[in-house]
Amino acid sequence: DVAFIVLLAGVGVPAEDLMVRQASLIMKANGATDDVVKVNETAQREMFAIVRAEKDPEVAEPKLREVGDALMKQLAALDPALAEAGKAGIEGSVQMVNSPWFRYWLAFDPAATLKRVQVPVLALNGSLDLQVDPKQNLPAIEKALREGGNQDVTVEELPGLNHLFQSATTGSPTEYATIEETMAPVAMKKISDWILARTSAQRK
């Protein structure tokens, strides 16, 4: 019943790979050092491993907090100011990764679903998208669709646009609220032209 699909900043890789890349890119954009980024990446993967191995959220929670506490100590050694600012973020991360939704998402492989899609697909990402890295996700989306036998796949990275398809400078989420543009005209035109090209013949 679906005529076509337009994926805007769609995910093509497992959640763990997406979240680690996302955090690293955003932290670097906000000035974090390579050492800080590496420590955070290790903690993320440890948390994801706990959630995968322990199905009971109540049992998983103290283990997740141990990882969070260890991360805080490491951050404090590298940058005390960053550690202080990160306390609330770590608490939020513990709650998020232990939630039913995140547990489902962590086990979900987008490629398996994409391989079943046979209708036309347009997949777009902004080149400055730090939340869903186009270099990581667009090739994965295209690969899965084509491996499934999809004959109408269009994948494109739009220069200078962020995760919300706004014209941006850095792509950092902290920049979103400072941009007046809702959505770049180039993105809207790309979408409308693609849809019209696949539906105009059906309307005649």
Side-chain angles (χ1 to χ4, degrees):
D1 296 334
V2 177
F4 57 82
I5 296 174
V6 177
L7 292 174
L8 298 178
V11 178
V13 298
E16 176 169 343
D17 296 330
L18 176 84
M19 296 295 287
V20 169
R21 180 74 64 90
Q22 179 187 103
S24 297
L25 290 175
I26 292 174
M27 290 176 74
K28 287 179 180 178
N30 292 335
T33 65
D34 288 342
D35 287 341
V36 169
V37 170
K38 186 175 180 180
V39 164
N40 187 73
E41 178 179 328
T42 299
Q44 277 186 293
R45 292 197 183 278
E46 288 177 357
M47 284 187 171
F48 297 152
I50 289 169
V51 170
R52 281 201 183 90
E54 183 50 68
K55 305 305 179 186
D56 187 337
E58 292 187 6
V59 176
E61 184 169 343
K63 297 179 181 179
L64 292 170
R65 291 190 184 283
E66 284 183 19
V67 175
D69 291 343
L71 174 60
M72 289 298 298
K73 291 178 181 177
Q74 290 176 298
L75 290 178
L78 294 168
D79 186 342
L82 183 62
E84 185 64 29
K87 285 182 179 179
I90 290 176
E91 175 61 27
S93 294
V94 169
Q95 297 300 321
M96 179 186 71
V97 301
N98 207 23
S99 68
W101 175 83
F102 193 90
R103 284 171 168 274
Y104 160 79
W105 192 46
L106 193 62
F108 178 70
D109 180 8
T113 298
L114 289 167
K115 288 178 182 178
R116 297 169 56 197
V117 176
Q118 297 302 314
V119 298
V121 176
L122 170 65
L124 299 177
N125 264 87
S127 66
L128 296 180
D129 188 343
L130 304 186
Q131 290 186 250
V132 180
D133 180 15
K135 299 291 190 295
Q136 180 188 48
N137 289 276
L138 286 181
I141 289 171
E142 182 172 17
K143 180 175 183 287
L145 288 167
R146 295 198 183 283
E147 284 183 352
N150 196 313
Q151 299 298 308
D152 190 345
V153 179
T154 305
V155 174
E156 189 168 346
E157 181 179 321
L158 302 180
L161 303 188
N162 63 17
H163 181 62
L164 305 183
F165 292 87
Q166 300 167 313
S167 300
T169 302
T170 68
S172 172
T174 59
E175 191 181 35
Y176 295 165
T178 69
I179 301 174
E180 190 170 334
E181 180 179 66
T182 303
M183 188 175 190
V186 65
M188 292 188 284
K189 187 174 189 309
K190 185 75 64 175
I191 296 165
S192 62
D193 286 351
W194 183 88
I195 292 174
L196 289 171
R198 283 152 183 80
T199 60
S200 57
Q202 299 172 17
R203 291 157 49 193
K204 292 179 180 178

